[in-house]
Amino acid sequence: MKKLLLAILLCGPLAAWSAPSDQDEPVVTVTGTAHPGIQLPNRQHTMTPGDYYNYIRDYDLANGQTLSVFARGETIFASVDGAVRHELVASNANTFYARDGQLKMNINLQGENDASGTLYMVVPQQTLADGTVRAAHIARVSW
């Protein structure tokens, strides 16, 4: 009898207590997106300077910008409008990725002086003149 009375005294307050429901707490919503990036390929294609020599040139993009592919020593780089220099790795003979995850390009050579292709580049978050914020995204530009 003493044990039953002790159990009732100890458990009584717990029975009266209830866990807070979702309606008791304010709802907080967090919005946003993860920073976009371009994934490097799982396997890299080894290229010598002789292999990538024909890709070294300037490409006039459809949006008016210029993609420059160039070499420094035995390393190949790309930049858009002379901005940040991105070190490139190849995933096959005509597809290149920036090691920093900011660019990917497919270059289709057509003779000695002509080429077509597609450039994917990360565009950082921007605040427009009217105050709206445009989230970071990946842009696709062809030539």
Side-chain angles (χ1 to χ4, degrees):
M1 182 74 162
K2 290 182 185 180
K3 288 182 183 178
L4 179 61
L5 184 58
L6 183 60
I8 291 172
L9 289 174
L10 291 176
C11 295
L14 290 176
W17 178 80
S18 65
S21 69
D22 290 339
Q23 296 172 353
D24 294 340
E25 296 294 322
V27 175
V28 178
T29 304
V30 178
T31 59
T33 57
H35 178 72
I38 298 169
Q39 289 285 76
L40 287 171
N42 291 331
R43 300 183 105 179
Q44 296 179 8
H45 178 73
T46 302
M47 294 182 81
T48 65
D51 295 331
Y52 59 71
Y53 176 79
N54 291 327
Y55 293 99
I56 297 175
R57 59 175 91 169
D58 290 340
Y59 301 92
D60 295 323
L61 304 177
N63 66 355
Q65 293 180 299
T66 301
L67 169 66
S68 299
V69 177
F70 54 96
R72 294 291 182 262
E74 296 198 8
T75 305
I76 188 171
F77 295 92
S79 69
V80 177
D81 283 346
V84 178
R85 176 171 76 179
H86 304 275
E87 183 179 347
L88 300 178
V89 294
S91 64
N92 62 46
N94 70 333
T95 303
F96 303 91
Y97 290 79
R99 284 193 186 274
D100 62 6
Q102 300 297 298
L103 300 174
K104 174 189 174 189
M105 62 200 77
N106 301 309
I107 303 173
N108 303 307
L109 298 176
Q110 301 166 349
E112 289 184 25
N113 297 318
D114 198 18
S116 64
T118 305
L119 170 68
Y120 299 89
M121 61 183 166
V122 175
V123 178
Q125 177 178 305
Q126 300 169 327
T127 302
L128 304 177
D130 65 359
T132 58
V133 176
R134 185 169 184 195
H137 62 282
I138 297 176
R140 178 182 182 262
V141 184
S142 297
W143 69 91

